[in-house]
């Protein structure tokens, strides 16, 4: 058994409920009185086929685990233990599903009580104000929130001071002012309610305690942040809480969405394994929990912010070895909007069927604007990506290098060396590159034959001047560059040739007496330029090698190494 949900599926909800209440047959279902509300006529129904219960007065339902926790007020451990025993399992084999019981301090208990009281009150206000207040009613309608969702997520309404003073009511329930401030129910001066005319989402910890709230403004035209969240407190640490994890944790697979509204909309179409993160930094405790799930799907908004957040999560997940996929959202709308439009459910099913591996996603992100031959950007992006991945997992690294090599058609070894540029393994790569250089220097091309050939060809055919970009050549000696400029000026500006150039031309023209050895046309000239460039690169490499031997400054050496790798790759490009 891999998940709590497997245990839940193993029991029969009819047996579970009948341990506490007398069930009477009603059509294909069973019915009994609900013990949460004052029930005179049976309004809690149990459906053996779907394995769910529902109280039609409380508008609350769920599976056997939900029943134990909601109706019988079991805590998580008690409920799991009950289910394990009911299905004949050895409880000790499933200890990893149990929560470590936390001991709360006096102040923490007070904060929990204040939050719980506030949540009850907000929920009560929402149910009342929905009948009378046009603003909140309007908002609920527009967002297509049903009573079932309001109850399932215990949504609430924090009225404005003019409408109702919720602080007064909380104080009546013996919550101290200092505690209310600490729990972000009252502002820091203690003068105004923290939440003011907002739809309130209570945030539960895993034990189903309300530990914080998020308030969505009801009036769009009011100058205020769209959402405000409780400040962190002894009971609320953003990095340790995942919204709706209290409900979703029992599932093998999880879907991570961007906002609370997305989580709620997903539940409308039957997905209860959907959660929202409270930020992109995740505590080690949360990481450990997420690792227990077989598969995690990341489904954030398809905008700049959403892509950025996805990348941050992917970074955390890769670092911590969490298995996840990215869902490709082609609709440029958030999940909530998609679900609420026509054929929303079908669209979501389509999205769920096209998942992308995290590695493919980051490659897409880093290389979406880089074309195959844009060498500068390829190099830059590989280095950026390597900074990003920072994983110790060699398999992931190798997979990325493999895929990049295929995508960009570049040698794996080169990608690896760029990949490692930012790592401390600097020395090691340096040695590797030196091996390449050694074989190179063995060729020992002291001759400047191609350069000379190039210059004579230009002298014989001045139209070649326009084909040459002088910066492309790393001249073997400064005098060749001078000669080139001299010849260029002679033809373009009718300047006289220098004595040195005249001697050079006289000495070398004879070497190329046969016509074939000089460039005859555009194509053969271009080929000659390529060969000269190749020679210049080799020369440049040797020069860099010598420089590197001389300098001990690490930053300078790193720069030199980068240039070196660059040159090496240009050589490879040509092959
Ligand atoms: Zn009820």
């Amino acid at each position: 058994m891999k998940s709590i949900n497997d245990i839940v599926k193993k029991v029969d909800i009819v047996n579970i409920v009948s341990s506490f209440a007398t069930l009477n047959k009603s059509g294909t279902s069973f019915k009994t009185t609900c013990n949460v509300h004052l029930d005179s006529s049976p309004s809690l129904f149990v459906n053996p086929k779907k394995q769910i219960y529902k109280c039609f007065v409380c508008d609350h339902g769920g599976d056997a685990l939900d029943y134990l926790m909601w109706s019988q007020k079991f805590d998580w451990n008690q409920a799991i233990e009950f289910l394990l025993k009911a299905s004949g399992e050895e409880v000790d084999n499933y200890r990893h599903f149990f929560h470590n019981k936390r001991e709360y301090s006096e102040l923490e208990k007070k904060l929990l009580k204040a939050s719980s009281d506030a949540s009850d009150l907000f929920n009560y206000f929402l149910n009342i104000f929905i009948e009378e207040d046009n603003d909140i009613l309007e908002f609920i309608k527009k967002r297509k929130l049903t009573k079932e969702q309001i109850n399932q997520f215990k949504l609430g309404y924090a009225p404005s001071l003019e409408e109702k003073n919720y602080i007064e009511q909380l104080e009546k329930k013996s919550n101290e002012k200092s505690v209310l401030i600490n729990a972000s129910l009252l502002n820091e001066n203690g003068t105004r309610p923290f939440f003011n005319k907002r739809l309130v989402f209570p945030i539960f910890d895993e034990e189903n305690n309300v530990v914080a709230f998020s308030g969505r403004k009801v009036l769009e035209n009011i100058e205020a942040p769209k959402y405000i969240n409780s400040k962190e407190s002894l009971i609320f640490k953003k990095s340790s809480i995942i919204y709706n994890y209290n409900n979703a944790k029992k599932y093998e697979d999880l879907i991570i969405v961007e906002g609370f509204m997305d989580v709620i909309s997903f539940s409308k179409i039957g997905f209860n394994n959907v959660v929202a993160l409270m930020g992109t930094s995740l505590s080690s405790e949360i990481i450990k929990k997420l690792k227990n799930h077989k598969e995690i799907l990341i489904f954030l908004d398809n905008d700049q912010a959403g892509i950025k957040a996805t990348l941050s999560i992917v970074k955390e997940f890769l670092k911590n070895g969490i298995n996840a996929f990215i869902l490709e959202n082609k609709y440029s709308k958030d999940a909530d909007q998609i679900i609420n439009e026509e054929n929303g459910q079908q669209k979501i099913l389509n999205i769920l069927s096209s998942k992308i591996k995290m590695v493919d996603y980051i490659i897409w992100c880093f290389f979406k604007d880089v074309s195959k031959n844009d060498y500068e950007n390829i190099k830059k992006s590989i280095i950026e990506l390597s900074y990003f991945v920072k994983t110790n997992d060699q398999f992931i690294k190798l997979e990325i290098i493999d895929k990049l090599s295929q995508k960009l058609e570049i040698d794996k070894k080169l990608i690896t060396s760029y990949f490692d540029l930012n790592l401390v393994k600097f020395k090691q790569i340096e040695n590797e590159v030196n091996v390449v250089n050694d074989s190179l220097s063995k060729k020992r091309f002291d001759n400047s034959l191609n350069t000379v050939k190039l210059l004579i060809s230009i002298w014989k055919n001045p139209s070649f001047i326009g084909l040459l970009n002088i910066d492309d050549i790393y001249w073997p000696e400064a005098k060749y560059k001078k000669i080139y400029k001299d010849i260029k000026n002679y033809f373009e500006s009718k300047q006289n040739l220098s004595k040195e150039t005249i001697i050079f031309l006289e000495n070398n023209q004879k070497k190329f007496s046969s016509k074939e050895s000089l460039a005859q046309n555009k194509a053969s000239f271009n080929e000659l330029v390529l060969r000269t460039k190749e020679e210049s690169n080799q020369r440049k490499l040797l020069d860099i090698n010598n420089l590197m031997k001389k300098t001990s400054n690490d930053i300078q050496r790193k720069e030199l190494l980068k240039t070196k790798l660059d040159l090496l790759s240009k050589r490879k490009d040509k092959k």
Side-chain angles (χ1 to χ4, degrees):
M1 265 187 257
K2 286 170 204 139
S3 70
I4 302 283
N5 206 35
D6 292 331
I7 300 172
V8 178
K9 275 189 224 152
K10 229 189 142 186
V11 297
D12 184 357
I13 191 168
V14 178
N15 288 338
I16 299 296
V17 176
S18 60
S19 321
F20 303 94
T22 311
L23 288 172
N24 294 308
K25 194 106 177 113
S26 167
T28 54
S29 294
F30 295 92
K31 64 179 175 181
T32 183
T33 50
C34 168
N35 61 329
V36 173
H37 78 278
L38 276 176
D39 200 8
S40 45
S41 63
S43 35
L44 191 137
F45 287 75
V46 179
N47 183 328
K49 200 170 160 222
K50 291 186 184 165
Q51 285 292 310
I52 52 168
Y53 74 92
K54 177 155 184 157
C55 168
F56 284 90
V57 175
C58 298
D59 215 349
H60 194 285
D63 58 28
L65 177 62
D66 298 320
Y67 175 80
L68 291 172
M69 294 180 74
W70 176 75
S71 173
Q72 302 306 320
K73 305 281 176 259
F74 278 29
D75 70 19
W76 175 262
N77 289 356
Q78 290 169 328
I80 298 300
E81 190 171 342
F82 192 92
L83 292 177
L84 283 170
K85 282 180 178 161
S87 59
E89 292 288 339
E90 190 60 58
V91 177
D92 275 343
N93 294 343
Y94 296 91
R95 286 285 164 206
H96 57 286
F97 284 139
F98 288 80
H99 291 162
N100 290 327
K101 278 267 187 238
R102 223 187 113 177
E103 284 295 319
Y104 291 106
S105 70
E106 278 312 303
L107 179 55
E108 284 170 333
K109 282 182 198 159
K110 285 179 181 176
L111 288 169
L112 287 171
K113 178 186 182 299
S115 304
S116 163
D117 287 348
S119 176
D120 289 344
L121 199 58
F122 290 150
N123 182 244
Y124 166 77
F125 283 146
L126 182 58
N127 283 314
I128 291 185
F129 276 78
I130 252 179
E131 312 286 326
E132 28 189 89
D133 183 288
N134 280 328
D135 297 333
I136 184 68
L137 182 64
E138 210 38 41
F139 183 88
I140 294 283
K141 266 196 199 155
K142 217 171 136 199
R143 287 309 196 120
K144 298 190 173 139
L145 284 166
T146 64
K147 192 149 188 244
E148 193 172 349
Q149 270 106 45
I150 291 173
N151 287 335
Q152 191 182 336
F153 293 92
K154 216 174 171 195
L155 302 184
Y157 175 58
S160 67
L161 252 188
E162 296 72 42
E163 290 168 326
K164 202 98 198 171
N165 187 340
Y166 73 74
I167 295 299
E168 246 171 38
Q169 308 224 13
L170 287 175
E171 282 178 327
K172 266 185 213 158
K173 293 192 165 198
S174 57
N175 293 296
E176 300 152 37
K177 209 168 194 170
S178 64
V179 172
L180 295 177
I181 294 174
N182 216 321
S184 295
L185 291 162
L186 193 54
N187 74 349
E188 276 174 21
N189 313 323
T191 50
R192 282 183 68 81
F194 189 89
F195 296 101
N196 187 11
K197 207 168 176 77
R198 281 175 183 271
L199 178 75
V200 180
F201 302 83
I203 296 163
F204 293 88
D205 67 7
E206 271 190 74
E207 311 288 328
N208 273 325
N209 298 311
V210 178
V211 292
F213 298 93
S214 180
R216 164 72 158 89
K217 71 174 173 186
V218 166
L219 297 173
E220 299 287 359
N221 55 359
I222 273 180
E223 202 48 53
K226 197 167 161 189
Y227 281 94
I228 55 171
N229 295 322
S230 303
K231 297 200 165 70
E232 296 214 331
S233 70
L234 285 175
I235 56 168
F236 175 50
K237 301 265 179 296
K238 261 167 86 174
S239 63
S240 302
I241 297 278
I242 298 180
Y243 182 70
N244 200 39
Y245 194 62
N246 54 323
N247 293 315
K249 66 183 170 193
K250 65 184 172 196
Y251 297 96
E252 232 180 338
D253 301 339
L254 284 186
I255 302 174
I256 295 178
V257 293
E258 192 150 318
F260 308 132
M261 285 305 290
D262 301 322
V263 171
I264 294 168
S265 290
F266 258 106
S267 82
K268 272 192 223 171
I269 53 170
F271 287 86
N272 295 307
N273 59 335
V274 184
V275 298
L277 301 179
M278 305 288 299
T280 48
S281 84
L282 300 170
S283 70
S284 54
E285 188 191 336
I286 288 285
I287 295 282
K288 219 169 110 190
K289 281 175 183 145
L290 291 180
K291 273 189 177 175
N292 284 334
H293 295 271
K294 191 172 146 211
E295 185 177 286
I296 296 178
L297 301 171
I298 306 169
F299 181 30
L300 304 192
D301 297 353
N302 188 14
D303 54 11
Q304 273 310 105
I307 292 175
K308 210 179 146 200
T310 304
L311 273 177
S312 308
I313 296 172
V314 166
K315 193 175 181 175
E316 285 278 315
F317 281 12
L318 281 178
K319 202 170 83 192
N320 293 290
I322 293 175
N323 184 29
F325 292 88
I326 321 296
L327 291 178
E328 201 182 6
N329 180 354
K330 309 171 200 101
Y331 297 99
S332 56
K333 281 176 187 161
D334 54 36
D336 170 48
Q337 287 170 316
I338 299 170
I339 292 168
N340 284 317
E341 64 192 18
E342 218 178 303
N343 298 325
Q345 185 165 4
Q346 191 50 48
K347 283 178 184 164
I348 290 293
L349 290 176
N350 289 344
I351 291 173
L352 286 171
S353 67
S354 64
K355 52 184 189 182
I356 309 170
K357 287 181 77 170
M358 290 196 287
V359 163
D360 293 324
Y361 184 78
I362 45 178
I363 290 178
W364 173 78
C365 279
F366 279 86
F367 289 87
K368 61 180 188 301
D369 301 321
V370 179
S371 58
K372 230 185 241 174
N373 299 315
D374 183 356
Y375 194 75
E376 260 317 297
N377 275 321
I378 288 178
K379 178 180 140 193
K380 217 176 110 218
S381 302
I382 294 176
I383 292 175
E384 276 170 10
L385 186 143
S386 70
Y387 273 111
F388 177 83
V389 176
K390 267 194 188 154
T391 171
N392 294 323
D393 190 330
Q394 286 301 309
F395 286 110
I396 292 176
K397 191 179 137 185
L398 289 178
E399 189 182 352
I400 292 176
I401 290 170
D402 246 18
K403 286 188 163 153
L404 278 179
S405 167
Q406 272 177 33
K407 184 184 160 76
L408 304 166
E409 294 171 15
I410 297 183
D411 190 77
K412 266 190 224 169
K413 203 162 178 195
L414 184 75
I415 295 174
T416 313
S417 55
Y418 279 129
F419 211 87
D420 290 337
L421 254 189
N422 71 81
L423 301 180
V424 205
K425 288 195 234 150
F426 182 65
K427 262 273 178 250
Q428 193 188 321
I429 318 156
E430 197 181 70
N431 290 338
E432 262 173 48
V433 174
N434 279 338
V435 174
V436 182
N437 282 327
D438 282 348
S439 68
L440 222 161
S441 42
K442 272 175 201 146
K443 283 191 195 163
R444 269 289 165 222
F445 49 93
D446 57 344
N447 65 72
S448 322
L449 192 70
N450 282 320
T451 312
V452 174
K453 217 179 196 180
L454 183 86
L455 290 169
I456 302 293
S457 297
I458 291 172
W459 175 249
K460 297 265 180 190
N461 191 346
S463 70
F464 290 153
I465 292 176
L467 299 173
L468 187 69
N469 182 0
I470 190 166
D471 294 326
D472 280 347
I473 310 281
Y474 186 70
W475 302 92
E477 281 178 58
K479 71 170 184 187
Y480 292 119
K481 193 175 182 180
K482 259 197 208 152
I483 292 168
Y484 169 71
K485 279 186 172 168
D486 215 4
I487 297 173
K488 193 171 182 252
N489 286 335
Y490 173 78
F491 287 113
E492 284 179 356
S493 337
K494 304 282 167 223
Q495 282 177 25
N496 289 334
L497 292 171
S498 70
K499 203 176 169 191
E500 200 188 7
T501 305
I502 293 170
I503 293 169
F504 167 85
L505 290 172
E506 280 180 352
N507 287 344
N508 289 294
Q509 277 193 74
K510 291 167 215 153
K511 284 188 195 163
F512 306 105
S513 49
S514 87
K515 272 194 161 186
E516 289 75 22
S517 57
L518 288 175
Q520 298 301 313
N521 48 37
K522 204 174 153 182
S524 60
F525 180 78
N526 281 337
E527 224 224 293
L528 181 58
V529 172
L530 273 180
R531 257 182 282 143
T532 319
K533 277 189 195 168
E534 179 77 21
E535 261 182 17
S536 351
N537 282 342
Q538 292 185 355
R539 263 191 299 279
K540 206 171 184 176
L541 272 171
L542 286 179
D543 287 356
I544 288 173
N545 254 3
N546 289 332
L547 270 174
M548 283 182 78
K549 276 177 199 153
K550 281 178 204 154
T551 179
S552 54
N553 178 328
D554 245 17
I555 297 172
Q556 252 175 41
R557 289 165 69 82
K558 205 164 179 172
E559 273 312 303
L560 286 169
L561 182 64
K562 277 189 196 173
T563 322
K564 206 157 131 180
L565 289 168
D566 213 352
L567 287 166
L568 283 173
S569 74
K570 277 181 185 154
R571 298 179 60 234
K572 281 194 177 113
D573 278 354
K574 247 157 263 130
K575 280 173 194 169

